[in-house]
């Protein structure tokens, strides 16, 4: 790194990222428990070098918080809805506190029944899903989490936004180490990648988007006006549709199309539901998970044996580095955030 590049960066500890986020969010009027939950997730994302969901998101979070539709002091309502189901009404606040409040009952139910679900409703959602997956793997449970977003993505063979960028994440607890976790959008890329290409005047690869007539395009502006595409053609399209159904229709919640209509062009975080599934390896294996653990570890060893990496390995390496050395953000982003302080 040259000296002038270093001058353009600000070094913060992970705790400082949390404190800065908390002050900004509370200053914007977000109730303390919500502000803490959001700040924890932003700091974790920055720590793991998931830049798109770290401090970069803070200005957008503030914009959502100050909107009339958003409930800054929403108290999530946790309902013991059925033997294997926790329902949490987020009350038009952020999803993160609703998740935290419902988590203990979800864990208890999964341990009792082997499998349990948490359906979160009426939540504004902006975050990566892996922190929630890790909250469950930390308890020795496997987890599957999914949520819709806004309808920017055309179905395979289509030409208009119908599906969301719909992320899905999975976690598998591992003895004595980091869990196996993947977490990705079902769109070919993040919408912000298209915006970055547009700003830089750079062409996009085929497969990222289509124009308004459904023709493939390599022009970012055309794709932003037309529609994004899912990864993996018809397979990603079907997976994304499943997320609309499972984390939307199944739990009585908005699809990405409904979420976009609810937004009324305000460009707030999407507002919809989230589905969290938890599985207890002890109960699911009939009481003795040891053999399953050995099989899973053999599978993971097979990756290393052929030089392939597991998803989240990059994140875990970034985590160790950030905890030891702090995180660097651009001076421009830091100034933008400091300007948001009351
Ligand atoms: P990426 O394509 O960057 O990465 C997705 C996953 O694949 C990560 O688990 C990553 O692990 C892993 N991975 C990447 N490269 C490799 C590789 N070579 N070998 C093995 N594993 C690999 O993710 P997306 O851009 O699709 O999504 C980024 C984030 O955005 C996600 O956290 C998602 O939840 C979030 N999101 C949230 C939305 C919302 O509305 N709330 C909407 C859309 C996305 P690693 O991190 O270690 O590289």
């Amino acid at each position: 790194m040259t000296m002038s590049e270093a001058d353009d960066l600000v070094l913060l500890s992970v705790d400082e990222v949390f404190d800065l986020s908390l002050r900004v969010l509370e200053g914007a009027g977000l109730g303390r428990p919500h502000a803490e939950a959001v700040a924890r997730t932003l700091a974790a994302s920055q720590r793991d070098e998931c830049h798109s969901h770290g401090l970069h998101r803070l200005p957008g979070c503030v914009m959502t918080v100050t909107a009339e539709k958003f409930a800054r002091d929403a108290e999530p309502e946790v309902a013991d809805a059925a033997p294997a189901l926790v329902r949490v009404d987020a009350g038009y606040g952020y999803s993160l506190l609703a998740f935290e409040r419902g988590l203990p009952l979800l864990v208890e139910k999964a341990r009792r029944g082997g499998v349990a679900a948490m359906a979160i409703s009426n939540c504004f959602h902006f975050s990566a899903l892996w922190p929630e997956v890790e909250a469950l793997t930390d308890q020795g449970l496997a987890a599957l989490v999914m949520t819709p977003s806004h309808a920017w993505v055309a179905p395979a063979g289509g030409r208009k936004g119908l599906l969301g960028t719909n992320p899905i994440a999975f976690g598998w607890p591992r003895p004595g180490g980091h869990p196996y976790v993947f977490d990705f959008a079902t769109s070919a890329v993040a919408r912000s990648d298209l915006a970055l290409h547009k700003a830089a005047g750079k062409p996009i690869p085929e497969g990222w988007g289509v124009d308004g007539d459904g023709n493939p395009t390599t022009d970012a502006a055309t794709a932003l006006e037309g529609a994004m595409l899912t990864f993996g053609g018809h397979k990603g399209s079907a997976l994304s549709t499943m997320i609309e159904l499972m984390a939307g229709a199944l739990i009585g919640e908005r699809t990405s199309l409904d979420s976009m209509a609810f937004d009324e062009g305000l460009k707030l975080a999407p507002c919809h539901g989230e589905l969290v599934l938890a599985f207890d390896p002890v109960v699911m294996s009939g009481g003795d998970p040891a053999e399953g653990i050995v099989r899973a570890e053999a599978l993971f060893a097979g990756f290393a044996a052929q030089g392939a990496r597991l998803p989240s390995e990059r994140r875990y390496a970034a985590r160790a580095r950030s905890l030891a050395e702090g995180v660097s953000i651009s001076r421009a982003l830091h100034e933008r955030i400091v300007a948001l302080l009351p």
Side-chain angles (χ1 to χ4, degrees):
M1 192 188 300
T2 65
M3 266 174 73
S4 79
E5 278 170 343
D7 283 347
D8 287 340
L9 295 175
V10 174
L11 183 69
L12 300 169
S13 70
V14 176
D15 286 346
E16 283 170 333
V17 174
F18 172 82
D19 289 340
L20 183 59
S21 305
L22 185 64
R23 281 162 58 215
V24 166
L25 290 162
E26 274 201 296
L30 188 62
R32 178 84 184 193
H34 280 286
E36 283 179 348
V38 173
R40 261 193 293 279
T41 300
L42 293 175
S45 293
Q46 197 67 49
R47 177 200 66 199
D48 282 15
E49 294 179 7
C50 297
H51 296 291
S52 60
H53 287 78
L55 283 174
H56 180 73
R57 284 279 153 150
L58 192 48
C61 288
V62 166
M63 191 177 93
T64 295
V65 161
T66 48
E68 236 175 68
K69 289 173 190 281
F70 186 88
R72 295 178 217 169
D73 291 302
E75 189 49 48
E77 284 179 21
V78 179
D80 188 343
L85 176 64
V86 185
R87 285 187 60 90
V88 188
D89 187 338
Y92 294 93
Y94 276 128
S95 61
L96 296 165
L97 187 64
F99 174 86
E100 287 184 10
R101 292 284 165 82
L103 182 66
L105 187 55
L106 175 68
V107 170
E108 189 188 313
K109 284 178 180 292
R111 291 213 174 111
R112 206 180 308 134
V115 58
M118 173 156 68
I120 302 175
S121 59
N122 299 320
C123 63
F124 283 85
H125 203 294
F126 72 89
S127 46
L129 301 182
W130 59 258
E132 298 180 349
V133 160
E134 285 192 23
L136 286 159
T137 55
D138 283 352
Q139 304 282 334
L141 303 173
L144 193 57
V145 182
M146 62 194 86
T147 182
S149 68
H150 273 339
W152 291 303
V153 182
R159 61 194 164 82
K160 287 206 298 206
L162 176 67
L163 307 167
T165 49
N166 298 1
I168 184 164
F170 170 77
W172 176 270
R174 299 181 65 188
H178 287 301
Y180 173 92
V181 173
F182 70 70
D183 176 16
F184 49 72
T186 46
S187 50
V189 285
R191 193 162 178 83
S192 56
D193 279 330
L194 288 184
L196 286 174
H197 277 72
K198 181 184 165 190
K202 275 172 42 185
I204 55 169
E206 264 197 37
W208 283 18
V210 289
D211 67 17
D213 295 322
N215 302 310
T217 182
T218 55
D219 180 56
T222 306
L224 282 167
E225 280 159 28
M228 298 167 69
L229 290 172
T230 61
F231 77 85
H234 64 281
K235 300 180 187 183
S237 181
L239 190 60
S240 180
T241 308
M242 181 199 78
I243 295 168
E244 299 284 347
L245 297 173
M246 296 293 283
L250 180 73
I251 63 170
E253 254 296 342
R254 292 180 186 83
T255 60
S256 296
L257 209 55
D258 300 325
S259 168
M260 201 125 160
F262 177 82
D263 186 65
E264 295 177 311
L266 293 172
K267 296 191 162 52
L268 307 177
C271 182
H272 44 65
E274 177 175 351
L275 181 65
V276 182
L277 300 171
F279 309 84
D280 184 352
V282 176
V283 184
M284 297 292 283
S285 63
D288 184 6
E291 201 178 319
I293 291 170
V294 170
R295 289 207 167 105
E297 291 305 310
L299 184 69
F300 299 139
F303 278 70
Q306 47 183 292
R309 79 152 164 107
L310 297 176
S312 291
E313 279 183 358
R314 178 205 60 82
R315 235 171 16 82
Y316 299 142
R319 182 178 304 182
R321 202 166 44 242
S322 299
L323 289 171
E325 300 167 12
V327 302
S328 293
I329 61 166
S330 73
R331 190 165 297 282
L333 176 60
H334 189 254
E335 281 170 4
R336 207 171 147 212
I337 288 170
V338 168
L340 293 170
L341 285 168

